[in-house]
């Protein structure tokens, strides 16, 4: 490897290097050959990237070949290839590891394959489907190996071992472990959108916010899969974590894994023991839906197996509730119908649930109405769209509830609680609902 062309570890932090980049020596035989994107302000449309991001790609040199681990976004292909050419020639490359096939990591793959068509591509079982779509009718022209947890590729005196870690972020994701150096390539996992050309976590600026913001928006919807990935990673000896975005974690890498473990661990579950949790959110224009919410609360709270909470969304701020909802077992939303719709704050809260896993939670809707009362069914449809189970038909009451109707609300609450504790009988189907 032409070491004179690399920025050395010893020189790190003494000066900022040009944004156009140059390869960086990450460890013995390992080079960063990615690209900086300091001007990016929005990633995947929805993520804010206040100081840009990096597309980290790596070259690993063994005695019998060079492996490339991931590439970069298509616009940065030229930078990536220039960096690559500084550390290896194309005929030396034996292996291309694609830990994740989202375009920000595979944009340079077509051009790399054009220049090094002989290399063997290592992808996960789900990754091969995306690779086929990426390469289209050229797919059959290349050597592709599907790799699973425990499979290895030898570069002579260096060995890459694969860990299948799906859904961190897409179904195709995997991690790759450089055995002889205890170095783990994680792509999106343990990464963040933070662009600092000093590149190493002990040299860059404060990226704690970016690290957690990235977790919240990329990993949080897949918490269960993150747990599975951590279970695979934690037993490894780890000297360094080399993610696909943001700083390379060479100082205290285990602290980042431990922080992920904390982020995926349920807080509320440990507080309430064996109880199920039901959250009731409501908005009320004239007090009618508020009365309904209180009655639903009373009915549900009779069940000792359920811990019930009641929240008035009139406070307007919905973000703090997202954490609670993530840990809850059941959610009920009370909204009046105004202009044929549910109230905006309810929609704001429901929109915020896109970042968390609501699949399988119990959902319910209720509300007062004056004329048409569409809001309850609209909220139910949204809950079903979030893959929640909605076993109880929503409860609509015209104007203010009577005493009998408040009893019906209490009974609605009792049924929701019974659904949560597994005490509910089968739902009686009203044939009018089927029309
Ligand atoms: Fe960095 Fe899921 O792509």
């Amino acid at each position: 490897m032409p070491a004179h062309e690399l920025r050395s570890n010893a020189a790190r932090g003494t000066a900022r290097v040009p944004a156009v980049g140059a390869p960086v020596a990450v460890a013995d035989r390992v080079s960063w050959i990615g690209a900086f994107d300091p001007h990016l302000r929005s990633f995947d449309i929805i993520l804010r990237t206040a100081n840009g991001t990096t597309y980290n790609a790596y070259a690993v040199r063994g005695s019998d070949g060079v492996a490339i681990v991931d590439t970069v976004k298509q616009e940065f292909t030229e930078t990536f290839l220039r960096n690559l050419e500084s550390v290896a020639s194309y005929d030396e490359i034996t292996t291309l590891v694609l830990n994740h096939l989202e375009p920000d990591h595979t944009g340079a793959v077509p051009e790399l394959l054009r220049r090094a068509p002989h290399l063997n591509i290592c992808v996960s079982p789900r990754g091969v489907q995306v690779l086929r779509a990426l390469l289209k009718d050229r797919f059959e022209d290349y050597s592709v190996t599907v790799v699973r947890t425990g499979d290895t590729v030898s570069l002579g005196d260096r060995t890459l071992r694969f860990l299948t870690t799906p859904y961190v972020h897409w179904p195709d994701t995997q991690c790759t472990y450089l055995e002889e150096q205890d170095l783990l390539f994680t792509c999106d996992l343990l990464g963040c959108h933070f662009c600092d050309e000093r590149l190493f976590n002990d040299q860059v600026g404060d990226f704690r916010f970016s690290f957690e913001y990235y977790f919240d928006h990329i990993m949080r919807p897949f918490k269960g899969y993150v747990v599975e990935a951590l279970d695979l990673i934690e037993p490894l000896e780890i000297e360094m974590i080399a993610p696909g975005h943001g700083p390379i974690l060479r100082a205290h890498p285990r602290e980042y894994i431990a922080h992920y473990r904390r982020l995926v661990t349920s807080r509320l579950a440990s507080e309430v023991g064996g109880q199920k949790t039901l959250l009731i959110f409501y908005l009320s224009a004239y007090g009618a839906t508020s009365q309904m919410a209180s009655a639903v609360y009373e009915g549900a709270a009779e069940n000792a197996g359920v811990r019930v909470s009641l929240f008035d969304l009139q406070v307007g701020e919905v973000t703090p509730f997202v954490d609670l909802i993530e840990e809850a077992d059941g959610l009920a939303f009370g909204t009046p119908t105004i202009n044929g719709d549910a109230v905006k704050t309810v929609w704001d809260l429901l929109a915020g649930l896109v970042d968390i896993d609501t699949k399988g939670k119990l959902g319910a809707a209720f509300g007062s109405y004056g004329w048409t009362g569409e809001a309850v069914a609209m909220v139910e449809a949204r809950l079903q769209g979030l893959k929640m189970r909605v076993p109880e038909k929503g409860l609509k009451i015209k104007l203010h509830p009577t005493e009998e109707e408040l009893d019906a609300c209490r009974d609605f609450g009792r049924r929701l609680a019974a659904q949560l504790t597994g005490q509910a009988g089968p739902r009686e189907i009203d044939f009018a609902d089927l029309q």
Side-chain angles (χ1 to χ4, degrees), residues 43 100 102 104-105 169-170 188 193 214 245:
F43 186 89
H100 177 25
E102 194 166 3
D104 52 318
H105 305 288
H169 160 221
W170 277 5
D188 281 355
H193 292 308
Y214 184 92
H245 299 290

Side-chain angles (χ1 to χ4, degrees), residues 32-235:
W32 177 90
I33 54 170
F36 299 116
D37 190 358
H39 304 300
L40 188 78
R41 291 293 172 268
S42 173
F43 186 89
D44 276 0
I45 306 171
I46 54 170
L47 249 74
R48 304 278 82 84
T49 47
N51 69 340
T53 192
T54 69
Y55 310 105
N56 297 338
Y58 303 91
V60 180
R61 178 173 287 275
S63 58
D64 290 339
V66 171
I68 305 301
V69 180
D70 297 322
T71 74
V72 298
K73 197 175 179 181
Q74 193 269 336
E75 297 96 293
F76 297 87
T77 298
E78 192 181 326
T79 300
F80 164 76
L81 294 173
R82 191 167 60 240
N83 287 340
L84 189 163
E85 289 165 9
S86 296
V87 299
S89 59
Y90 291 110
D91 58 7
E92 291 180 299
I93 303 169
T94 56
T95 306
L96 171 61
V97 174
L98 296 177
N99 283 327
H100 177 25
L101 284 94
E102 194 166 3
D104 52 318
H105 305 288
T106 51
V109 168
E111 184 56 27
L112 176 59
L113 291 177
R114 199 182 67 75
R115 299 183 187 206
H118 58 278
L119 55 71
N120 181 45
I121 307 169
C122 295
V123 286
S124 72
R126 302 291 291 277
V128 75
Q129 300 168 12
V130 192
L131 184 64
R132 192 180 288 275
L134 177 72
L135 299 178
K136 303 194 184 303
D137 56 0
R138 301 292 312 274
F139 177 82
E140 302 296 341
D141 297 345
Y142 301 107
S143 166
V144 177
T145 301
V146 175
V147 292
R148 296 176 173 80
T149 298
D151 290 347
T152 57
V153 161
S154 174
L155 303 172
D157 60 358
R158 291 292 182 273
T159 311
L160 297 173
R161 174 149 53 101
F162 302 99
L163 299 92
T164 306
T165 53
Y167 289 100
V168 293
H169 160 221
W170 277 5
D172 64 311
T173 49
Q174 64 178 9
C175 296
T176 301
Y177 183 60
L178 177 54
E179 288 187 344
E180 291 78 6
Q181 293 174 248
D182 300 337
L183 198 163
L184 185 67
F185 301 100
T186 56
C187 205
D188 281 355
L189 187 73
L190 295 159
C192 67
H193 292 308
F194 189 82
C195 185
D196 188 319
E197 297 137 20
R198 291 168 293 189
L199 206 54
F200 294 89
N201 66 325
D202 53 327
Q203 299 284 341
V204 301
D206 190 336
F207 64 102
R208 286 176 296 180
F209 168 80
S210 300
F211 190 80
E212 295 197 2
Y213 179 80
Y214 184 92
F215 175 90
D216 281 346
H217 292 273
I218 299 290
M219 298 296 154
R220 190 171 178 171
F222 308 109
K223 268 182 160 183
Y225 290 100
V226 176
V227 168
E228 290 176 11
L230 295 177
D231 288 345
L232 277 178
I233 288 169
E234 282 171 340

Side-chain angles (χ1 to χ4, degrees), residues 144-355:
V144 177
T145 301
V146 175
V147 292
R148 296 176 173 80
T149 298
D151 290 347
T152 57
V153 161
S154 174
L155 303 172
D157 60 358
R158 291 292 182 273
T159 311
L160 297 173
R161 174 149 53 101
F162 302 99
L163 299 92
T164 306
T165 53
Y167 289 100
V168 293
H169 160 221
W170 277 5
D172 64 311
T173 49
Q174 64 178 9
C175 296
T176 301
Y177 183 60
L178 177 54
E179 288 187 344
E180 291 78 6
Q181 293 174 248
D182 300 337
L183 198 163
L184 185 67
F185 301 100
T186 56
C187 205
D188 281 355
L189 187 73
L190 295 159
C192 67
H193 292 308
F194 189 82
C195 185
D196 188 319
E197 297 137 20
R198 291 168 293 189
L199 206 54
F200 294 89
N201 66 325
D202 53 327
Q203 299 284 341
V204 301
D206 190 336
F207 64 102
R208 286 176 296 180
F209 168 80
S210 300
F211 190 80
E212 295 197 2
Y213 179 80
Y214 184 92
F215 175 90
D216 281 346
H217 292 273
I218 299 290
M219 298 296 154
R220 190 171 178 171
F222 308 109
K223 268 182 160 183
Y225 290 100
V226 176
V227 168
E228 290 176 11
L230 295 177
D231 288 345
L232 277 178
I233 288 169
E234 282 171 340
L236 300 173
E237 292 292 327
I238 293 181
E239 282 293 318
M240 191 181 300
I241 295 168
H245 299 290
I248 295 170
L249 309 173
R250 67 177 180 184
H252 311 293
R254 282 213 171 270
E255 289 191 13
Y256 296 87
I257 295 173
H259 193 53
Y260 254 48
R261 182 60 83 176
R262 284 192 291 274
L263 291 172
V264 297
T265 301
S266 167
R267 287 163 296 167
L268 197 56
S270 61
E271 291 171 13
V272 299
Q275 278 183 308
K276 299 291 183 181
T277 53
L278 173 65
L279 309 181
I280 302 171
F281 298 96
Y282 70 95
L283 269 171
S284 193
Y286 294 102
T289 301
S290 170
Q291 283 181 281
M292 290 180 70
S294 296
V296 172
Y297 172 88
E298 288 167 14
E302 290 173 9
N303 190 322
V306 179
R307 183 176 184 172
V308 193
S309 305
L310 187 62
F311 298 104
D312 186 348
L313 291 177
Q314 199 173 351
V315 295
E317 176 64 65
V318 298
T319 306
F321 294 129
V322 175
D323 281 341
L324 281 180
I325 288 173
E326 184 170 42
E327 310 295 348
D329 300 295
L331 310 167
F333 296 88
T335 174
T337 297
I338 296 181
N339 294 333
D341 202 347
V343 182
K344 178 177 179 298
T345 312
V346 172
W347 288 129
D348 289 344
L349 181 54
L350 290 170
L353 304 189
V354 71
D355 286 333

